[in-house]
Amino acid sequence: MLITFTSKAASEVLMYKEHAKRILDLLHKDVDRGVITAAEAPHALQVLEKEIDESRQHSVSEDVERDVHAHHNEHGDDTDHEEIEVVSFSTRAYPLLEMLRAAKAGGHDVVWGV
């Protein structure tokens, strides 16, 4: 399921619900519908930027590493699977982060699910 974030400050941002949930949980917001007011935007930016910094220090989780090893034979070669391409938290959060920056600068809210 997709979530559409809207703001008068920027173009719409579409995100899978499962990816938006991690971001919105950090901000203590409901994933189905809600608002980040212009007044809340500075705090939301601070929280997300901190999480991005922390996620960059731990680029590949144990789950991903375990999955990769499960699909390779004991010699480490694998002819049946593509190389894994991890999409980082910072990459997923970037469009919403930019929307929040524009909303803060313009004094606009960010809403979803309404």
Side-chain angles (χ1 to χ4, degrees), residues 18-70:
E18 65 190 70
H19 301 144
K21 182 173 178 6
R22 179 174 176 196
I23 293 170
L24 295 172
D25 284 349
L26 288 168
L27 302 175
H28 306 289
K29 298 288 185 177
D30 183 5
V31 73
D32 292 318
R33 72 187 227 193
V35 61
I36 300 170
T37 65
E40 294 173 319
H43 176 71
L45 284 165
Q46 182 182 25
V47 168
L48 290 178
E49 288 168 349
K50 181 180 177 194
E51 184 67 16
I52 287 169
D53 288 342
E54 288 180 16
S55 72
R56 286 182 175 155
Q57 294 175 12
H58 310 285
S59 60
V60 179
S61 72
E62 290 180 24
D63 292 339
V64 172
E65 190 173 335
R66 189 177 321 116
D67 187 53
V68 169
H69 290 301

Side-chain angles (χ1 to χ4, degrees), residues 12 40 42 44 48 51-52 71 79 81-82 92 97 112:
E12 290 182 343
E40 294 173 319
L48 290 178
E51 184 67 16
I52 287 169
H71 289 86
T79 58
H81 296 90
E82 296 291 323
R92 292 194 196 284
L97 195 67
W112 62 97

Side-chain angles (χ1 to χ4, degrees), residues 5-24:
F5 294 92
T6 60
S7 176
K8 291 181 180 180
S11 299
E12 290 182 343
V13 172
L14 293 172
M15 193 177 295
Y16 283 111
K17 186 175 184 176
E18 65 190 70
H19 301 144
K21 182 173 178 6
R22 179 174 176 196
I23 293 170
L24 295 172

